[in-house]
Amino acid sequence: MTTLPRLHLFEFHDQTWCPALLREAVTDCVNAAWTFTGFWRNAVPHVEDLLERTGERSILDLCSGSGGPAPRIVHALAGRMPELRVELSDLFPKPASVDALSPELRARVHYLEQPVDALAVPAEFAGLRTVFGAFHHFRPAEAIELLRSASGSGRPLAVFEFQRRTLLRSIIPPMGLVGLSPLVAHWTAPRRWWRPLLTAVPVIPALWAWDSFATIMRTYTPAELVGLAEQARAPGYRWEVREARGDGPERITCIAGFPDPRGGVELIEY
Ligand SMILES: C[S@@+](CC[C@H](N)C(=O)[O-])C[C@H]1O[C@@H](n2cnc3c(N)ncnc32)[C@H](O)[C@@H]1O
């Protein structure tokens, strides 16, 4: 499988000059993609594993955008962990996005209104930290900093990406995803007057197509993730880079970090 060279291309929705409604439109598309591909389900066993290992029953989701998979995952685990709750957060928070969730999904979810920088998480936030579909936003030095802030404070962390930086696996199959997400967002995101207009023009599909391409080109390979985790080693803290071998709907990449006397960094393909 051809792995492409990593390029840290810009994404529109990362830029401070990007109008808030376009930023929201793009993160609504990411959220829609998680929902209709069902890839969020592949994260459930990893989240459950980290909650079980650490005894945590709260999640601080970083870089939540328009909500992402965390509310669905928490709902899926609620039967076994009824006290489980999640705080969503972002550098550009979109608290109104939870309004589009069904009441049973919303029951265990709160979206922090103040900006939370994933690179400077206030120490008072406890629980398991999660990052869905956003780790590629960070350059290597920042990515190491994000990992270190977890390992240095002994907080468990789970980072997930579902795209891969390969030609066949990632550039060609997402064509459908790029086409569909702006349409699915009409049902999965809050109603906005500008959405049908900017989808038809088509501003939203064009921005989403570019940001999706840039996302793929910025995604770290499992070997690169191991290299980043090596830089964030801490005594009594273990990193596992878990990579689903499959190409199909089961695929997901997870970096799991948790306190463990074994310590170390391991690549686990399953
Ligand atoms: C691709 S979106 C992913 C959103 C969501 N997690 C999901 O999977 O649907 C990336 C998000 O990361 C946020 N982000 C980028 N840099 C950040 C930072 N330093 N701290 C917190 N959030 C950040 C962006 O604002 C954006 O909402």
Side-chain angles (χ1 to χ4, degrees):
M1 200 61 59
T2 315
T3 299
L4 304 162
R6 183 172 191 275
L7 296 178
H8 201 91
L9 303 175
F10 84 98
E11 289 188 53
F12 282 103
H13 78 281
D14 256 353
Q15 310 304 315
T16 45
W17 50 260
C18 180
L21 70 85
L22 293 181
R23 185 178 296 123
E24 181 181 334
V26 172
T27 56
D28 286 348
C29 288
V30 186
N31 196 38
W34 280 111
T35 307
F36 79 83
T37 59
F39 279 139
W40 65 269
R41 289 191 185 85
N42 304 338
V44 175
H46 300 290
V47 173
E48 185 174 15
D49 171 53
L50 287 172
L51 292 168
E52 289 292 6
R53 280 174 191 276
T54 58
E56 297 286 0
R57 288 297 180 268
S58 65
I59 295 176
L60 173 66
D61 186 49
L62 303 166
C63 309
S64 303
S66 296
R72 284 185 171 73
I73 292 171
V74 166
H75 180 62
L77 290 173
R80 299 191 284 288
M81 300 176 178
E83 68 278 45
L84 190 58
R85 296 285 181 279
V86 59
E87 286 279 10
L88 304 177
S89 70
D90 200 282
L91 195 55
F92 303 103
K94 297 159 196 82
S97 54
V98 295
D99 297 345
L101 297 175
S102 62
E104 70 268 21
L105 287 184
R106 218 167 30 213
R108 295 179 174 76
V109 178
H110 178 252
Y111 203 132
L112 290 165
E113 304 219 348
Q114 71 271 29
V116 175
D117 186 346
L119 300 177
V121 180
E124 69 265 20
F125 287 125
L128 168 67
R129 295 179 189 174
T130 53
V131 179
F132 293 95
F135 197 64
H136 59 273
H137 283 253
F138 302 104
R139 291 179 185 276
E142 296 168 329
I144 293 167
E145 198 183 320
L146 196 157
L147 299 180
R148 265 192 202 145
S149 85
S151 58
S153 59
R155 297 269 185 227
L157 171 73
V159 171
F160 296 94
E161 298 275 26
F162 74 86
Q163 73 287 347
R164 290 176 180 159
R165 205 177 75 227
T166 51
L167 196 59
L168 282 179
R169 283 182 182 179
S170 273
I171 301 280
I172 295 166
M175 300 278 190
L177 201 125
V178 165
L180 280 175
S181 293
L183 301 177
V184 176
H186 289 280
W187 285 274
T188 54
R191 283 186 190 279
R192 305 282 190 221
W193 63 266
W194 42 260
R195 197 183 307 282
L197 184 71
L198 295 181
T199 303
V201 176
V203 173
I204 294 174
L207 290 189
W208 167 236
W210 172 262
D211 280 7
S212 300
F213 172 67
T215 291
I216 288 165
M217 298 309 294
R218 304 207 291 189
T219 300
Y220 294 102
T221 62
E224 288 165 349
L225 293 174
V226 167
L228 297 174
E230 289 283 0
Q231 305 289 315
R233 272 177 184 264
Y237 195 93
R238 180 171 172 79
W239 291 108
E240 292 181 357
V241 176
R242 303 170 179 176
E243 172 81 345
R245 283 179 212 271
D247 256 354
E250 73 277 15
R251 76 179 178 184
I252 198 115
T253 304
C254 168
I255 317 174
F258 51 94
D260 186 307
R262 288 175 295 167
V265 180
E266 193 179 346
L267 173 61
I268 300 173
E269 292 186 296
Y270 60 97

